[in-house]
C-alpha cells in the first residue's frame, strides 16, 4: 500500500452460513481509496453494498459470518484486529454513514450534541473541546451561524 492509499480492500468475500446452506453476499470485491478521495458504491438492492461496508468496518458478527480477503487501513488489516482494537479506530479514524438517517442520529437530541458525544468517546479533551470540534465540523456543511444554532 503506497503512502497515498488510505484504504485498500482486496478480494473481500462475505458468506453467511444458514441452516439452508451458505449465502454468499459479497464475492471477491477489491477497491482502493486514497486520502482525500470520495468513493461511491452503487448497485442493485441486495447486491452486497451494505454488507461490504459493514465488513470493512468490522460491524458484522464474526461468530455468524465468514469473511475473507484483506482490508488494510493505515497499514493494518482490519479483518484481523481484535474487537477492542477496532473500537479504538471506528468513529475516530474511519466511520460509516448509514443509509437510514434514523440509524445515525436520534431525533430527540440535538445534532451538535450527538457529534460532540462521538468526539468525547475518542478523546480525553473534555466537553469544551468536543463542542468546539462539533461546531468546526458543522461549519464545513453550513454557515457558522447555523452551526451554532444546531449545537445550542
Amino acid at each position: 500500500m503506497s503512502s497515498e492509499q488510505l484504504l485498500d480492500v482486496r478480494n473481500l468475500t462475505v458468506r453467511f452460513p444458514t441452516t439452508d446452506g451458505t449465502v454468499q453476499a459479497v464475492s471477491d470485491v477489491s477497491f482502493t481509496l486514497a486520502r482525500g478521495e470520495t468513493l461511491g458504491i452503487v448497485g442493485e438492492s441486495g447486491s452486497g453494498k451494505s454488507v461490504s461496508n459493514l465488513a470493512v468496518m468490522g460491524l458484522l458478527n464474526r461468530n455468524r459470518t465468514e469473511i475473507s480477503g484483506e482490508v488494510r487501513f493505515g497499514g493494518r488489516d482490519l479483518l484481523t484486529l481484535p474487537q477492542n482494537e477496532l473500537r479504538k479506530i471506528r468513529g475516530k479514524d474511519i466511520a460509516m454513514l448509514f443509509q437510514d438517517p434514523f440509524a445515525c442520529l436520534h431525533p430527540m437530541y440535538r445534532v451538535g450534541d450527538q457529534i460532540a458525544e462521538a468526539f468525547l468517546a475518542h478523546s480525553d479533551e473534555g466537553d469544551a473541546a468536543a463542542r468546539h470540534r462539533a461546531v468546526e465540523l458543522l461549519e464545513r456543511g453550513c454557515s457558522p451561524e447555523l452551526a451554532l444554532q444546531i449545537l445550542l
Side-chain angles (χ1 to χ4, degrees):
M1 190 162 95
S2 79
S3 62
E4 291 295 313
Q5 292 178 342
L6 183 62
L7 179 66
D8 187 30
V9 177
R10 293 284 152 230
N11 308 106
L12 180 65
T13 299
V14 181
R15 296 182 188 92
F16 298 104
T18 71
T19 55
D20 295 327
T22 300
V23 174
Q24 182 144 335
V26 176
S27 179
D28 202 30
V29 170
S30 297
F31 61 88
T32 301
L33 188 63
R35 186 173 303 281
E37 281 186 331
T38 301
L39 173 68
I41 299 177
V42 297
E44 295 179 15
S45 180
S47 64
K49 302 177 300 291
S50 294
V51 171
S52 295
N53 287 298
L54 289 168
V56 166
M57 295 295 298
L59 294 172
L60 295 173
N61 184 332
R62 292 181 180 184
N63 296 323
R64 296 182 178 184
T65 312
E66 298 171 1
I67 304 171
S68 61
E70 277 186 284
V71 176
R72 300 200 68 75
F73 178 77
R76 300 166 75 184
D77 187 355
L78 299 182
L79 297 182
T80 62
L81 289 180
Q83 284 297 320
N84 63 331
E85 290 295 315
L86 275 172
R87 278 188 212 99
K88 293 176 186 175
I89 296 170
R90 267 195 312 255
K92 181 179 179 190
D93 300 317
I94 188 170
M96 177 177 175
L97 297 178
F98 293 90
Q99 293 176 15
D100 178 7
F102 290 109
C104 298
L105 298 170
H106 195 289
M108 299 301 290
Y109 299 98
R110 293 187 179 276
V111 171
D113 291 340
Q114 294 176 70
I115 294 170
E117 179 182 357
F119 182 77
L120 284 169
H122 298 283
S123 171
D124 295 328
E125 293 187 40
D127 291 344
R131 292 177 65 77
H132 179 73
R133 184 70 175 131
V135 169
E136 284 179 341
L137 292 171
L138 287 168
E139 284 176 344
R140 287 184 182 179
C142 57
S143 71
E145 296 80 19
L146 182 57
L148 284 173
Q149 248 183 335
I150 291 170
L151 186 63
L152 300 174

